[in-house]
Amino acid sequence: MSIAPTPPSRRPRPTDQADVRRHNAGLVLAAVTDGPVSRAEVAGLTGLTRATVGSIVDDLLAAGLVSEQGTRAPRGVGRPGTDLALDPSGGAGVGVEINVDGLSCVVVDLTGEVRHRASRPGDQRDKPVGTVLRTAARLVDDALRAAAADGLRVRGIGVAVPGLVDLEASVLRVAPNLGWADVPVLDRMRAASSLLWPRASLDNEANLAALGELWSGDHAWPAAGASFVLVNGDVGVGAGVVLEGRLHRGTRGFGGELGHLTVAPDGPECRCGARGCLEQVAGLDWILRSAGLRPSSAHGADATPTLLAALAEGEPRAVGAVEDAGASLGVGIAAIVNLFDVDAVVLGGVYAPLFPWLEAPVRAAVARRVLSARWAPISIAPSRLGRDAAVVGAARSALREVLTDPLGAVAEPA
Amino acid sequence: MSIAPTPPSRRPRPTDQADVRRHNAGLVLAAVTDGPVSRAEVAGLTGLTRATVGSIVDDLLAAGLVSEQGTRAPRGVGRPGTDLALDPSGGAGVGVEINVDGLSCVVVDLTGEVRHRASRPGDQRDKPVGTVLRTAARLVDDALRAAAADGLRVRGIGVAVPGLVDLEASVLRVAPNLGWADVPVLDRMRAASSLLWPRASLDNEANLAALGELWSGDHAWPAAGASFVLVNGDVGVGAGVVLEGRLHRGTRGFGGELGHLTVAPDGPECRCGARGCLEQVAGLDWILRSAGLRPSSAHGADATPTLLAALAEGEPRAVGAVEDAGASLGVGIAAIVNLFDVDAVVLGGVYAPLFPWLEAPVRAAVARRVLSARWAPISIAPSRLGRDAAVVGAARSALREVLTDPLGAVAEPA
């Protein structure tokens, strides 16, 4: 017996020069991302030699990812420097979200800005799968044309769906709230598109929402290296788990299924076949019904604005419905914190506008049910991206490889 | 706005030569760990040049971690090689477990073998903290003397406790089942010891049990790189979460608190202050009481053998108690799988001998409550180390740094 007899195929490879250069190219691009900087400043920020920085910058200029912004007087001693900046037209990502209550699509450029946006609201549950996917494909075609018209080179397409995704096969295994099973979403969308697609990927909406939040740069946290969970509330409830700055997908990409956590073992039946799942007592349909409103499922009309108006007026039935949902949601969030010990929980999707009414019951459940609450207070906050987090995250996800491994990404055929 | 504006302090450092050499030394030691090998074979296994391997092996020989085992005829072409192997006396780790129902201690050598073992069974809840820690310190002193008598150089001491550990301060923040709070366990044990200690660390028992399982090498899985959860059952219930071959401690080391997951929101009160925690309806005390036996808490006598005898005879009350606990445990395990999406769940501690009676209700709950169960069947198995996992894991944990970063570990003062 020996300790950790790592099989040869699993052993880490020794680091070689090509890996080091690709890694360092990511560091250089990150330094340039933060704002106009000279080559000398990039060397200072990264700890790389000026010669290495110069050679990598040449490659990034050639790939169109970085542009020169003219010379300026030196800040300290030395020759005048030429400022470098990220070239917004160097790359763009297309994001598409297929959700129970509508479809949406965005184009995001290399600096993170949304350059194009389109949506098709309406309940998708009563429509055939093919109809929904053809509409989604048309949204992508429109986005690709809009990007080309803007001179943006689209590097990738990300598609967000509300269910379990088999990442290797790019198949949506199950989406209980849509009633879909084993749908090869990307293949069918590609077949319905009239354009040639760049690389595309399919992922769970809560995972992409968490990545959208991680990369948003809009607020002080989640900082790089942080651990947080984004809880995405809609008809279904999902969680995207970011541990030490990386999305935790789980072995098969099936992690974060918060909506099917048992919070009431003898509670109502769920579409997944189990009983007492969180989304049955904290999802949007449950909240709307408890508030005396018609769930969005019935006729495609979104009752959420009516709910928000009732809450703003302090209508007791609406307030009580959201507070009850918050108490159940708090049990689920306490489970997440007990198991993962994250720094922060971000409430996204419809939970973002509902946050003022959810906050107190969620905090009470966490204080009571999290063993470490006394020693490790966690931050609980609404998502800044709100219901846009998943679609923006999908677009940024499609761009991510360009940013972390620019030399590898541009070397591959588009 | 920009995507991922990593602050300078958080940026990854460029790789330098000294890092590469230390990393490569770990690769060489791992190759040697797998069995007698020549320098040329190490070069073949690791992809490093023979010159690099030769230089690193010289350092490992000087540190006493590796020994030469005489020459042998070459397997292929070339000169005869000198076989290298791990030197068992090159390092040892001491593990100590402080648990509700007793103390135990082991010495493990560099090849993973247990070379010394001692225990002090008996309920620790009625004893003053100082008495318990003095007994634990005496176990360590005996272990250090036994290791010295065997010519083993102890590189570190690992201490396992049943509660939340502040890793940086080495303080046990709370152990609800012992009734301890804010105890600087290592400082007090060191003060009670008559010997000079090598480096020591304090950790949660379920975390160390999971590491013990990961490094046991006794069975085909959990393989290197695997994701699994070890559920450690005792009076309390804890979980050690291993993701992609690494222990997930959480931001503050407070992760894996499965015992305080809410499985019955209106259930019995827990010592932690909440209601309906898993360990109140699946822990050892609950099982014993439900089986009509006196919990081990009452008089220090361990009723577990009586329970196991009753189960073996098919005594209905005992079987019913364990099956009911299994149904509650299954709700908790389903939550873990829904959230983490691991390959396997290992039942350790007292759940290992109870496994034949727990298995069916746990599997039924997982099949029903895990959304991905149809596409991603998970392995559920008893721990091979059983109740020894935490103390053996603690000892191996103390040796781990020597194995992964041998040049760094031996360069530091002992």
Side-chain angles (χ1 to χ4, degrees):
Chain A
M1 191 186 75
S2 65
I3 299 181
T6 313
S9 62
R10 301 263 201 161
R11 284 210 192 96
R13 293 180 307 144
T15 309
D16 72 19
Q17 275 309 110
D19 289 343
V20 169
R21 187 177 162 79
R22 285 172 63 167
H23 171 79
N24 289 341
L27 298 184
V28 169
L29 195 63
V32 172
T33 301
D34 290 349
V37 281
S38 69
R39 287 169 177 78
E41 287 164 344
V42 171
L45 283 165
T46 58
L48 298 168
T49 67
R50 292 200 186 193
T52 300
V53 170
S55 154
I56 288 172
V57 165
D58 286 347
D59 285 355
L60 297 176
L61 287 165
L65 295 169
V66 162
S67 61
E68 293 189 324
Q69 310 229 309
T71 56
R72 60 170 152 102
R75 282 175 201 157
V77 293
R79 288 174 302 163
T82 304
D83 267 341
L84 302 167
L86 216 53
D87 187 336
S89 62
V94 172
V96 190
E97 181 179 2
I98 299 170
N99 213 329
V100 177
D101 45 11
L103 309 180
S104 58
C105 182
V106 298
V107 177
V108 167
D109 72 20
L110 211 51
T111 67
E113 201 165 334
V114 174
R115 301 280 289 265
H116 167 86
R117 183 189 297 270
S119 64
R120 298 284 177 278
D123 198 295
Q124 305 299 310
R125 279 173 285 200
D126 305 327
K127 297 179 186 164
V129 177
T131 308
V132 175
L133 294 181
R134 271 193 302 278
T135 307
R138 267 199 298 276
L139 284 171
V140 172
D141 285 357
D142 292 348
L144 290 172
R145 287 193 192 95
D150 265 13
L152 293 166
R153 181 169 166 189
V154 175
R155 303 273 184 181
I157 298 172
V159 181
V161 286
L164 295 182
V165 173
D166 180 331
L167 291 172
E168 280 187 27
S170 285
V171 168
L172 171 60
R173 285 292 169 221
V174 63
N177 289 311
L178 282 171
W180 293 9
D182 294 317
V183 179
V185 172
L186 291 187
D187 287 350
R188 292 184 66 173
M189 282 176 70
R190 260 202 211 92
S193 167
S194 55
L195 300 174
L196 191 67
W197 282 26
R199 92 178 81 190
S201 65
L202 183 73
D203 205 342
N204 171 272
E205 50 160 4
N207 284 348
L208 291 169
L211 289 174
E213 200 67 34
L214 177 67
W215 297 330
S216 73
D218 275 344
H219 37 74
W221 68 269
S227 295
F228 70 95
V229 172
L230 180 126
V231 178
N232 203 48
D234 205 281
V235 175
V237 177
V241 180
V242 173
L243 302 177
E244 296 169 25
R246 283 179 56 215
L247 183 67
H248 172 69
R249 296 179 178 281
T251 298
R252 300 157 191 89
F254 293 170
E257 279 304 327
L258 180 64
H260 300 281
L261 201 79
T262 308
V263 295
D266 304 314
E269 277 207 17
C270 180
R271 288 186 193 87
C272 78
R275 203 172 262 288
C277 292
L278 176 62
E279 69 184 39
Q280 287 306 309
V281 290
L284 181 58
D285 277 2
W286 185 91
I287 293 174
L288 291 172
R289 272 197 309 270
S290 299
L293 297 167
R294 184 173 274 171
S296 51
S297 54
H299 295 283
D302 185 359
T304 312
T306 315
L307 174 69
L308 289 169
L311 289 167
E313 284 173 21
E315 202 272 295
R317 197 167 168 192
V319 172
V322 177
E323 286 179 350
D324 287 352
S328 295
L329 184 61
V331 171
I333 288 175
I336 282 184
V337 179
N338 269 321
L339 291 174
F340 287 98
D341 183 26
V342 289
D343 302 300
V345 175
V346 184
L347 297 188
V350 76
Y351 291 155
L354 295 179
F355 189 78
W357 297 273
L358 289 170
E359 184 177 5
V362 166
R363 284 193 191 278
V366 167
R368 176 136 194 253
R369 299 189 184 277
V370 173
L371 187 60
S372 64
R374 200 184 118 199
W375 298 272
I378 61 154
S379 163
I380 301 175
S383 161
R384 298 268 181 109
L385 293 171
R387 299 184 93 167
D388 260 4
V391 70
V392 170
R396 287 179 176 168
S397 175
L399 270 177
R400 193 64 193 167
E401 204 169 328
V402 178
L403 290 166
T404 53
D405 180 16
L407 299 185
V410 300
E412 289 175 30
Chain B
M1 190 187 74
S2 66
I3 300 181
T6 313
S9 63
R10 301 262 202 165
R11 283 207 193 98
R13 293 178 308 144
T15 308
D16 72 19
Q17 277 307 111
D19 290 343
V20 169
R21 187 177 162 79
R22 285 172 62 167
H23 171 79
N24 289 341
L27 297 183
V28 170
L29 195 63
V32 172
T33 302
D34 289 350
V37 282
S38 68
R39 287 169 177 78
E41 285 164 345
V42 171
L45 284 165
T46 58
L48 298 168
T49 67
R50 292 201 187 193
T52 299
V53 170
S55 153
I56 288 171
V57 166
D58 286 346
D59 286 354
L60 297 176
L61 286 166
L65 294 170
V66 162
S67 60
E68 293 189 323
Q69 310 228 307
T71 56
R72 60 172 153 101
R75 283 176 200 159
V77 293
R79 286 174 305 161
T82 303
D83 267 342
L84 302 167
L86 216 54
D87 187 337
S89 62
V94 171
V96 189
E97 181 180 2
I98 299 171
N99 213 327
V100 178
D101 46 10
L103 310 180
S104 58
C105 182
V106 297
V107 177
V108 167
D109 72 20
L110 210 51
T111 66
E113 199 164 334
V114 174
R115 300 281 290 264
H116 167 87
R117 184 189 296 270
S119 65
R120 300 282 179 277
D123 198 295
Q124 306 298 310
R125 279 173 284 199
D126 305 328
K127 296 178 186 166
V129 177
T131 307
V132 175
L133 294 180
R134 272 194 302 278
T135 306
R138 269 199 298 276
L139 285 171
V140 172
D141 285 358
D142 292 348
L144 290 172
R145 286 194 193 98
D150 264 13
L152 294 166
R153 182 168 165 188
V154 175
R155 302 274 185 182
I157 298 173
V159 181
V161 287
L164 295 183
V165 172
D166 180 331
L167 290 173
E168 280 187 26
S170 284
V171 167
L172 172 60
R173 284 291 168 224
V174 63
N177 290 312
L178 282 171
W180 294 9
D182 294 318
V183 179
V185 172
L186 291 187
D187 287 350
R188 292 185 66 172
M189 282 177 70
R190 261 202 210 92
S193 167
S194 54
L195 300 173
L196 191 67
W197 281 26
R199 91 176 82 190
S201 64
L202 183 72
D203 204 342
N204 171 271
E205 49 160 6
N207 283 349
L208 291 169
L211 289 174
E213 200 69 34
L214 177 66
W215 297 331
S216 72
D218 275 345
H219 38 75
W221 70 270
S227 296
F228 70 94
V229 172
L230 181 125
V231 178
N232 204 47
D234 205 280
V235 174
V237 177
V241 180
V242 173
L243 302 177
E244 296 168 28
R246 283 179 57 217
L247 182 67
H248 172 68
R249 297 178 177 284
T251 298
R252 301 155 191 91
F254 294 169
E257 279 304 327
L258 179 64
H260 300 281
L261 200 80
T262 308
V263 295
D266 304 313
E269 276 207 16
C270 180
R271 289 186 192 86
C272 79
R275 206 172 259 288
C277 292
L278 176 63
E279 68 184 38
Q280 289 304 310
V281 291
L284 181 57
D285 278 2
W286 185 91
I287 292 174
L288 292 172
R289 273 198 308 271
S290 299
L293 297 167
R294 184 173 274 169
S296 52
S297 54
H299 294 284
D302 184 0
T304 312
T306 314
L307 174 69
L308 289 169
L311 290 167
E313 284 172 21
E315 202 272 297
R317 195 164 170 195
V319 171
V322 176
E323 286 178 350
D324 287 352
S328 296
L329 184 60
V331 171
I333 288 175
I336 283 185
V337 179
N338 269 321
L339 291 173
F340 287 98
D341 183 26
V342 289
D343 303 298
V345 175
V346 184
L347 297 188
V350 75
Y351 290 154
L354 295 180
F355 188 78
W357 297 274
L358 289 171
E359 184 177 4
V362 167
R363 284 194 191 279
V366 167
R368 177 138 193 251
R369 299 190 184 277
V370 172
L371 186 60
S372 63
R374 200 185 117 198
W375 298 272
I378 61 153
S379 163
I380 301 176
S383 160
R384 299 268 181 111
L385 294 171
R387 299 185 92 167
D388 260 5
V391 70
V392 169
R396 288 180 176 165
S397 174
L399 271 177
R400 193 65 192 165
E401 204 170 328
V402 178
L403 290 166
T404 52
D405 180 15
L407 299 185
V410 300
E412 289 176 31

Short mmCIF file of all heavy atoms in Angstrom, two decimals, chain A residues 169-208:
data_model
loop_
_atom_site.label_atom_id
_atom_site.label_comp_id
_atom_site.label_asym_id
_atom_site.label_seq_id
_atom_site.Cartn_x
_atom_site.Cartn_y
_atom_site.Cartn_z
N ALA A 169 -21.91 16.06 -24.64
CA ALA A 169 -22.77 15.79 -25.79
C ALA A 169 -23.54 17.04 -26.24
O ALA A 169 -24.18 17.02 -27.28
CB ALA A 169 -23.74 14.68 -25.45
N SER A 170 -23.45 18.14 -25.43
CA SER A 170 -24.26 19.33 -25.70
C SER A 170 -25.75 18.99 -25.82
O SER A 170 -26.43 19.46 -26.72
CB SER A 170 -23.78 20.06 -26.95
OG SER A 170 -22.60 20.75 -26.67
N VAL A 171 -26.20 18.14 -24.91
CA VAL A 171 -27.61 17.73 -24.89
C VAL A 171 -28.24 18.18 -23.57
O VAL A 171 -27.64 18.04 -22.51
CB VAL A 171 -27.73 16.20 -25.04
CG1 VAL A 171 -29.14 15.71 -24.73
CG2 VAL A 171 -27.32 15.77 -26.45
N LEU A 172 -29.44 18.77 -23.68
CA LEU A 172 -30.22 19.09 -22.50
C LEU A 172 -30.90 17.80 -22.04
O LEU A 172 -31.79 17.28 -22.73
CB LEU A 172 -31.26 20.15 -22.84
CG LEU A 172 -32.32 20.47 -21.77
CD1 LEU A 172 -31.67 20.98 -20.49
CD2 LEU A 172 -33.32 21.49 -22.29
N ARG A 173 -30.43 17.24 -20.90
CA ARG A 173 -30.96 15.94 -20.47
C ARG A 173 -32.40 16.06 -19.97
O ARG A 173 -33.25 15.27 -20.33
CB ARG A 173 -30.08 15.35 -19.38
CG ARG A 173 -28.78 14.77 -19.89
CD ARG A 173 -29.04 13.53 -20.73
NE ARG A 173 -27.84 13.12 -21.44
CZ ARG A 173 -27.81 12.69 -22.69
NH1 ARG A 173 -28.92 12.63 -23.40
NH2 ARG A 173 -26.69 12.32 -23.26
N VAL A 174 -32.64 17.04 -19.11
CA VAL A 174 -34.01 17.21 -18.63
C VAL A 174 -34.22 18.65 -18.17
O VAL A 174 -33.34 19.26 -17.57
CB VAL A 174 -34.34 16.22 -17.48
CG1 VAL A 174 -33.47 16.47 -16.25
CG2 VAL A 174 -35.82 16.27 -17.08
N ALA A 175 -35.36 19.21 -18.52
CA ALA A 175 -35.77 20.52 -18.03
C ALA A 175 -37.21 20.34 -17.56
O ALA A 175 -38.15 20.47 -18.34
CB ALA A 175 -35.68 21.57 -19.15
N PRO A 176 -37.38 20.00 -16.26
CA PRO A 176 -38.71 19.61 -15.78
C PRO A 176 -39.77 20.68 -16.05
O PRO A 176 -40.90 20.35 -16.41
CB PRO A 176 -38.50 19.42 -14.27
CG PRO A 176 -37.04 19.17 -14.09
CD PRO A 176 -36.36 19.91 -15.19
N ASN A 177 -39.39 21.96 -15.92
CA ASN A 177 -40.40 23.00 -16.06
C ASN A 177 -40.80 23.27 -17.50
O ASN A 177 -41.88 23.78 -17.76
CB ASN A 177 -39.93 24.29 -15.38
CG ASN A 177 -39.94 24.13 -13.88
OD1 ASN A 177 -40.91 23.66 -13.30
ND2 ASN A 177 -38.83 24.48 -13.23
N LEU A 178 -39.92 22.93 -18.45
CA LEU A 178 -40.30 23.02 -19.87
C LEU A 178 -40.95 21.72 -20.32
O LEU A 178 -41.60 21.68 -21.37
CB LEU A 178 -39.05 23.27 -20.74
CG LEU A 178 -38.49 24.68 -20.81
CD1 LEU A 178 -37.15 24.69 -21.54
CD2 LEU A 178 -39.48 25.63 -21.51
N GLY A 179 -40.71 20.63 -19.56
CA GLY A 179 -41.20 19.32 -19.98
C GLY A 179 -40.35 18.72 -21.10
O GLY A 179 -40.82 17.87 -21.84
N TRP A 180 -39.08 19.16 -21.21
CA TRP A 180 -38.20 18.65 -22.27
C TRP A 180 -37.27 17.58 -21.70
O TRP A 180 -36.84 17.67 -20.56
CB TRP A 180 -37.31 19.77 -22.83
CG TRP A 180 -38.02 20.85 -23.58
CD1 TRP A 180 -39.36 21.05 -23.67
CD2 TRP A 180 -37.40 21.90 -24.32
NE1 TRP A 180 -39.63 22.15 -24.44
CE2 TRP A 180 -38.43 22.71 -24.85
CE3 TRP A 180 -36.09 22.26 -24.60
CZ2 TRP A 180 -38.19 23.83 -25.64
CZ3 TRP A 180 -35.83 23.38 -25.38
CH2 TRP A 180 -36.89 24.15 -25.90
N ALA A 181 -36.92 16.59 -22.52
CA ALA A 181 -35.94 15.59 -22.13
C ALA A 181 -35.10 15.19 -23.33
O ALA A 181 -35.64 15.04 -24.44
CB ALA A 181 -36.62 14.35 -21.54
N ASP A 182 -33.79 15.07 -23.13
CA ASP A 182 -32.85 14.59 -24.15
C ASP A 182 -32.97 15.36 -25.47
O ASP A 182 -33.15 14.79 -26.53
CB ASP A 182 -33.03 13.08 -24.39
CG ASP A 182 -32.64 12.28 -23.14
OD1 ASP A 182 -31.60 12.62 -22.54
OD2 ASP A 182 -33.37 11.36 -22.77
N VAL A 183 -32.82 16.67 -25.38
CA VAL A 183 -32.89 17.52 -26.56
C VAL A 183 -31.48 17.99 -26.95
O VAL A 183 -30.81 18.65 -26.15
CB VAL A 183 -33.78 18.76 -26.30
CG1 VAL A 183 -33.83 19.64 -27.55
CG2 VAL A 183 -35.19 18.35 -25.88
N PRO A 184 -31.01 17.63 -28.18
CA PRO A 184 -29.69 18.12 -28.64
C PRO A 184 -29.84 19.57 -29.12
O PRO A 184 -29.89 19.83 -30.33
CB PRO A 184 -29.34 17.16 -29.78
CG PRO A 184 -30.64 16.66 -30.29
CD PRO A 184 -31.65 16.74 -29.16
N VAL A 185 -29.89 20.48 -28.15
CA VAL A 185 -30.26 21.88 -28.42
C VAL A 185 -29.37 22.53 -29.46
O VAL A 185 -29.85 23.16 -30.42
CB VAL A 185 -30.24 22.68 -27.10
CG1 VAL A 185 -30.44 24.17 -27.36
CG2 VAL A 185 -31.31 22.16 -26.14
N LEU A 186 -28.03 22.38 -29.32
CA LEU A 186 -27.14 23.07 -30.25
C LEU A 186 -27.28 22.53 -31.67
O LEU A 186 -27.36 23.32 -32.62
CB LEU A 186 -25.68 22.93 -29.80
CG LEU A 186 -25.27 23.66 -28.53
CD1 LEU A 186 -23.75 23.56 -28.34
CD2 LEU A 186 -25.69 25.12 -28.56
N ASP A 187 -27.33 21.20 -31.80
CA ASP A 187 -27.47 20.62 -33.15
C ASP A 187 -28.74 21.11 -33.82
O ASP A 187 -28.74 21.48 -35.01
CB ASP A 187 -27.52 19.08 -33.06
CG ASP A 187 -26.14 18.50 -32.74
OD1 ASP A 187 -25.15 19.27 -32.77
OD2 ASP A 187 -26.07 17.30 -32.43
N ARG A 188 -29.83 21.13 -33.07
CA ARG A 188 -31.10 21.53 -33.68
C ARG A 188 -31.13 23.03 -33.99
O ARG A 188 -31.70 23.44 -35.01
CB ARG A 188 -32.27 21.12 -32.78
CG ARG A 188 -32.40 19.58 -32.74
CD ARG A 188 -33.58 19.11 -31.96
NE ARG A 188 -34.85 19.48 -32.60
CZ ARG A 188 -36.04 19.05 -32.16
NH1 ARG A 188 -36.10 18.23 -31.10
NH2 ARG A 188 -37.14 19.42 -32.75
N MET A 189 -30.48 23.84 -33.13
CA MET A 189 -30.43 25.27 -33.45
C MET A 189 -29.55 25.53 -34.66
O MET A 189 -29.89 26.33 -35.53
CB MET A 189 -29.91 26.06 -32.23
CG MET A 189 -30.96 26.28 -31.15
SD MET A 189 -30.27 27.12 -29.68
CE MET A 189 -29.97 28.76 -30.34
N ARG A 190 -28.39 24.83 -34.71
CA ARG A 190 -27.49 25.00 -35.86
C ARG A 190 -28.21 24.61 -37.15
O ARG A 190 -28.10 25.31 -38.17
CB ARG A 190 -26.25 24.09 -35.70
CG ARG A 190 -25.04 24.82 -35.21
CD ARG A 190 -23.75 24.05 -35.57
NE ARG A 190 -22.74 24.30 -34.55
CZ ARG A 190 -22.56 23.53 -33.49
NH1 ARG A 190 -23.30 22.45 -33.31
NH2 ARG A 190 -21.64 23.83 -32.61
N ALA A 191 -28.98 23.51 -37.11
CA ALA A 191 -29.69 23.05 -38.31
C ALA A 191 -30.73 24.07 -38.74
O ALA A 191 -31.03 24.19 -39.94
CB ALA A 191 -30.34 21.70 -38.03
N ALA A 192 -31.29 24.82 -37.78
CA ALA A 192 -32.32 25.80 -38.10
C ALA A 192 -31.75 27.16 -38.49
O ALA A 192 -32.49 28.07 -38.85
CB ALA A 192 -33.27 25.96 -36.90
N SER A 193 -30.42 27.29 -38.39
CA SER A 193 -29.79 28.58 -38.68
C SER A 193 -29.35 28.63 -40.14
O SER A 193 -29.01 27.62 -40.73
CB SER A 193 -28.58 28.77 -37.77
OG SER A 193 -27.79 29.85 -38.23
N SER A 194 -29.37 29.84 -40.72
CA SER A 194 -28.95 29.98 -42.11
C SER A 194 -27.49 30.41 -42.19
O SER A 194 -26.97 30.59 -43.29
CB SER A 194 -29.85 31.00 -42.80
OG SER A 194 -29.83 32.22 -42.08
N LEU A 195 -26.82 30.59 -41.05
CA LEU A 195 -25.45 31.10 -41.05
C LEU A 195 -24.48 30.06 -40.51
O LEU A 195 -24.88 29.11 -39.83
CB LEU A 195 -25.37 32.37 -40.19
CG LEU A 195 -26.24 33.54 -40.64
CD1 LEU A 195 -26.18 34.66 -39.62
CD2 LEU A 195 -25.79 34.04 -42.01
N LEU A 196 -23.18 30.27 -40.81
CA LEU A 196 -22.14 29.41 -40.25
C LEU A 196 -21.83 29.88 -38.83
O LEU A 196 -21.57 31.06 -38.61
CB LEU A 196 -20.88 29.53 -41.13
CG LEU A 196 -19.78 28.50 -40.85
CD1 LEU A 196 -20.25 27.10 -41.23
CD2 LEU A 196 -18.51 28.87 -41.63
N TRP A 197 -21.90 28.93 -37.85
CA TRP A 197 -21.67 29.33 -36.46
C TRP A 197 -20.20 29.20 -36.07
O TRP A 197 -19.53 28.27 -36.52
CB TRP A 197 -22.48 28.42 -35.52
CG TRP A 197 -23.92 28.74 -35.43
CD1 TRP A 197 -24.69 29.36 -36.35
CD2 TRP A 197 -24.76 28.42 -34.34
NE1 TRP A 197 -25.98 29.45 -35.90
CE2 TRP A 197 -26.05 28.88 -34.65
CE3 TRP A 197 -24.58 27.79 -33.10
CZ2 TRP A 197 -27.13 28.74 -33.80
CZ3 TRP A 197 -25.65 27.64 -32.25
CH2 TRP A 197 -26.92 28.12 -32.60
N PRO A 198 -19.72 30.11 -35.23
CA PRO A 198 -18.43 29.84 -34.59
C PRO A 198 -18.65 28.77 -33.51
O PRO A 198 -19.75 28.22 -33.41
CB PRO A 198 -18.07 31.18 -33.94
CG PRO A 198 -19.38 31.82 -33.67
CD PRO A 198 -20.33 31.33 -34.74
N ARG A 199 -17.63 28.48 -32.69
CA ARG A 199 -17.84 27.45 -31.66
C ARG A 199 -19.00 27.84 -30.74
O ARG A 199 -19.21 29.04 -30.47
CB ARG A 199 -16.55 27.22 -30.87
CG ARG A 199 -16.43 28.06 -29.64
CD ARG A 199 -15.17 27.75 -28.87
NE ARG A 199 -14.04 28.46 -29.46
CZ ARG A 199 -12.78 28.23 -29.12
NH1 ARG A 199 -12.48 27.30 -28.26
NH2 ARG A 199 -11.82 28.94 -29.67
N ALA A 200 -19.77 26.86 -30.28
CA ALA A 200 -20.93 27.14 -29.43
C ALA A 200 -20.93 26.17 -28.26
O ALA A 200 -20.37 25.08 -28.34
CB ALA A 200 -22.22 26.97 -30.24
N SER A 201 -21.54 26.60 -27.16
CA SER A 201 -21.65 25.70 -26.01
C SER A 201 -22.98 25.91 -25.31
O SER A 201 -23.59 26.97 -25.38
CB SER A 201 -20.49 25.95 -25.04
OG SER A 201 -20.59 27.24 -24.50
N LEU A 202 -23.43 24.82 -24.67
CA LEU A 202 -24.72 24.79 -23.98
C LEU A 202 -24.43 24.62 -22.51
O LEU A 202 -23.56 23.84 -22.12
CB LEU A 202 -25.49 23.57 -24.51
CG LEU A 202 -26.91 23.35 -23.98
CD1 LEU A 202 -27.85 24.39 -24.59
CD2 LEU A 202 -27.40 21.94 -24.34
N ASP A 203 -25.16 25.36 -21.65
CA ASP A 203 -24.93 25.22 -20.21
C ASP A 203 -26.21 25.57 -19.46
O ASP A 203 -27.13 26.18 -20.01
CB ASP A 203 -23.77 26.13 -19.77
CG ASP A 203 -23.08 25.65 -18.51
OD1 ASP A 203 -23.65 24.82 -17.76
OD2 ASP A 203 -21.95 26.11 -18.26
N ASN A 204 -26.21 25.18 -18.22
CA ASN A 204 -27.32 25.47 -17.33
C ASN A 204 -27.40 26.97 -17.03
O ASN A 204 -26.38 27.64 -16.84
CB ASN A 204 -27.08 24.68 -16.04
CG ASN A 204 -28.03 25.04 -14.94
OD1 ASN A 204 -27.77 25.96 -14.17
ND2 ASN A 204 -29.15 24.36 -14.87
N GLU A 205 -28.62 27.52 -16.98
CA GLU A 205 -28.80 28.96 -16.81
C GLU A 205 -28.22 29.50 -15.51
O GLU A 205 -27.65 30.59 -15.47
CB GLU A 205 -30.29 29.33 -16.88
CG GLU A 205 -31.11 28.46 -15.97
CD GLU A 205 -32.46 29.02 -15.59
OE1 GLU A 205 -32.86 30.07 -16.09
OE2 GLU A 205 -33.11 28.35 -14.77
N ALA A 206 -28.36 28.73 -14.41
CA ALA A 206 -27.85 29.23 -13.12
C ALA A 206 -26.33 29.26 -13.13
O ALA A 206 -25.71 30.17 -12.57
CB ALA A 206 -28.37 28.38 -11.97
N ASN A 207 -25.72 28.25 -13.78
CA ASN A 207 -24.25 28.27 -13.92
C ASN A 207 -23.81 29.52 -14.68
O ASN A 207 -22.87 30.21 -14.27
CB ASN A 207 -23.76 27.03 -14.68
CG ASN A 207 -23.77 25.78 -13.82
OD1 ASN A 207 -23.92 25.86 -12.60
ND2 ASN A 207 -23.60 24.64 -14.44
N LEU A 208 -24.48 29.80 -15.80
CA LEU A 208 -24.09 30.96 -16.62
C LEU A 208 -24.40 32.26 -15.89
O LEU A 208 -23.65 33.24 -16.00
CB LEU A 208 -24.77 30.89 -17.98
CG LEU A 208 -24.24 29.75 -18.86
CD1 LEU A 208 -25.11 29.55 -20.09
CD2 LEU A 208 -22.79 30.02 -19.29
#
